[in-house]
């Protein structure tokens, strides 16, 4: 029996290796899907345009709602099915109010919600190499999951601090990935992407006063982020920003408008994306087919956002989009 299990494991790895190859001379393209709760439905419009125009997606990574959309898409769920489900989604589908010192709700239902779309339960089964980004609330580090079960990392990436209880997984106490990678571009670079298409959902600055605890928390995070240029910007080759500012963070019924916003942003960026695909690749990769190899460890922990990497240049700071945060 042990020999059979080892053979099966090798067979699965072989299948993944065969499926995760990139033609010679073409850069490895990664798509980073940012957080934004219901506004993340705009990701479906972006993915549809890329798919219809045969823009390759060799790697995919998601934060928060981007992790949910990315997991379903990487597993092979059709965009039509994702749109049908999005418009009938409610908070009770993935969240349950509870009494806890660590949060007001649990998102344990999120794992069952994903099973509505796919029977895939591990990263190894994904049709597209995929990473989920969460934040270790103890260390302040990013944790990117690319191996093992999908459910716990997905819940962690969507565990908005103050609303959802943190998720304990693989020795980490985890919360929403937006705290360290609002758009998971840095994790995509570590996964091996040469060209990164970042999808950023900027909700703008709400004019009305916050009406409940969650909106107060969200506004507080927005104010903090406005004081610091976003780190994810430096790892992006092109940034798509669907116009979703007028749509409330939990308005899933606005699915058609959100998808249309994603479509418009992606279509406008197509010429620039096609130019990026012409970027030369280094050395022997220009002559031979490439095989994507994800990090060997189940988790890859990046340095804290406050200390890693050199400071942004003045021109980057001036150009950095401001991104007020809302519940993811």
């Amino acid at each position: 029996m042990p020999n059979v299990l080892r053979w099966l494991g090798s067979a699965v790895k072989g299948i993944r290796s065969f499926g995760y190859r990139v033609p010679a001379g073409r850069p490895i393209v990664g798509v980073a899907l940012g957080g934004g709760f219901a506004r993340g439905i705009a990701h479906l419009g972006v993915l549809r345009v890329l798919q219809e125009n045969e823009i390759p997606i060799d790697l995919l990574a998601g934060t928060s709602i981007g992790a949910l959309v990315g997991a379903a898409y990487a597993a092979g769920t059709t965009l039509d099915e994702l749109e049908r489900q999005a418009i009938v989604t409610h908070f009770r589908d993935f969240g349950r109010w509870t009494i806890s010192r660590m949060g007001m709700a649990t998102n344990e239902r999120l794992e069952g919600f994903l099973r509505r779309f796919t029977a895939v339960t591990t990263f190894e089964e994904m049709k597209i190499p995929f990473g989920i980004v969460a934040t270790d609330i103890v260390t302040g580090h990013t944790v990117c999951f690319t191996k093992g079960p999908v459910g716990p990392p997905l819940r962690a990436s969507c565990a908005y601090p103050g609303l959802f209880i943190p998720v304990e997984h693989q020795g980490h106490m985890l919360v929403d990935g937006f705290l360290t990678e609002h758009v998971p571009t840095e994790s995509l670079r570590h996964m091996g992407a040469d060209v990164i298409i970042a999808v950023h959902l900027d909700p703008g600055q709400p004019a009305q006063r916050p009406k409940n605890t969650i909106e107060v928390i969200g506004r507080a995070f927005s104010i903090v982020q406005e004081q610091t240029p976003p780190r994810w910007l430096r790892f992006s080759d092109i940034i798509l920003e669907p116009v979703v500012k007028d749509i409330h963070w939990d308005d899933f019924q606005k699915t058609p408008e959100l998808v249309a916003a994603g479509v418009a942003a992606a279509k406008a960026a197509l010429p620039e994306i096609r130019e990026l695909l012409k970027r030369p690749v280094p050395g022997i990769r220009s002559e031979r087919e490439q095989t994507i190899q994800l990090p060997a460890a189940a988790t890859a922990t990046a340095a804290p956002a406050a200390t890693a990497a050199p400071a942004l240049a003045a021109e980057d700071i001036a150009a950095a989009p401001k991104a007020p945060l809302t519940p993811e």
Side-chain angles (χ1 to χ4, degrees), residues 33-37 39-40 43 63-66 176 178 181-184 199-202 326 328:
L33 305 178
F37 208 55
R39 297 185 186 100
H43 291 317
T63 294
S64 200
I65 182 63
D176 202 312
F178 87 88
E181 275 196 75
H182 192 56
V183 185
V199 187
H200 175 235
L201 306 172
D202 182 359
T326 55
E328 311 293 15

Side-chain angles (χ1 to χ4, degrees), residues 12-35:
V12 170
K13 290 179 182 178
I15 292 171
R16 290 190 84 199
S17 175
F18 177 79
Y20 294 171
R21 291 180 178 175
V22 179
R26 177 170 70 69
I28 296 173
V29 180
V31 178
L33 305 178

Side-chain angles (χ1 to χ4, degrees), residues 208-220 248-249 327:
Q208 68 272 23
R209 295 162 61 91
K211 299 182 289 295
N212 54 53
T213 302
I214 303 306
E215 291 186 4
V216 169
I217 294 172
R219 191 69 59 88
H248 200 257
W249 63 269

Side-chain angles (χ1 to χ4, degrees), residues 16 20 57-60 73-75 123 126-130:
R16 290 190 84 199
Y20 294 171
I57 302 177
D58 302 309
L59 294 166
L60 193 61
Y73 186 75
F123 287 95
M126 295 290 182
K127 296 183 177 181
I128 300 172
F130 178 58

Side-chain angles (χ1 to χ4, degrees), residues 15-216:
I15 292 171
R16 290 190 84 199
S17 175
F18 177 79
Y20 294 171
R21 291 180 178 175
V22 179
R26 177 170 70 69
I28 296 173
V29 180
V31 178
L33 305 178
F37 208 55
R39 297 185 186 100
I41 295 170
H43 291 317
L44 302 180
V46 171
L47 292 171
R48 183 174 293 281
V49 171
L50 298 181
Q51 181 176 291
E52 291 178 349
N53 288 273
E54 300 182 342
I55 303 298
I57 302 177
D58 302 309
L59 294 166
L60 193 61
T63 294
S64 200
I65 182 63
L68 176 58
V69 171
Y73 186 75
T77 308
T78 67
L79 293 170
D80 288 339
E81 175 58 27
L82 288 171
E83 286 186 33
R84 281 194 294 270
Q85 184 59 53
I87 200 168
V88 296
T89 295
H90 300 279
F91 179 85
R92 63 178 178 270
D93 292 319
F94 52 83
R96 176 176 60 82
W97 299 110
T98 188
I99 299 175
S100 170
R101 291 178 298 175
M102 305 299 286
M104 295 182 287
T106 173
N107 65 3
E108 291 177 350
R109 292 176 177 173
L110 193 56
E111 294 189 44
F113 186 68
L114 181 62
R115 286 195 292 272
R116 296 183 185 182
F117 305 108
T118 177
V120 169
T121 59
T122 67
F123 287 95
E124 287 79 2
E125 298 172 85
M126 295 290 182
K127 296 183 177 181
I128 300 172
F130 178 58
I132 290 179
V133 169
T135 301
D136 187 317
I137 194 65
V138 177
T139 66
H141 289 60
T142 293
V143 184
C144 180
F145 294 90
T146 59
K147 309 279 186 179
V150 173
L154 176 60
R155 288 180 51 220
S157 187
C158 297
Y160 190 78
L163 172 59
F164 290 116
I165 298 170
V167 175
E168 299 276 358
H169 185 55
Q170 295 188 353
H172 300 279
M173 178 182 280
L174 299 163
V175 297
D176 202 312
F178 87 88
L179 289 174
T180 50
E181 275 196 75
H182 192 56
V183 185
T185 55
E186 184 172 5
S187 290
L188 264 183
R189 193 70 76 192
H190 286 305
M191 289 168 65
D194 299 312
V195 169
I196 294 178
I197 302 169
V199 187
H200 175 235
L201 306 172
D202 182 359
Q205 189 60 266
Q208 68 272 23
R209 295 162 61 91
K211 299 182 289 295
N212 54 53
T213 302
I214 303 306
E215 291 186 4
V216 169

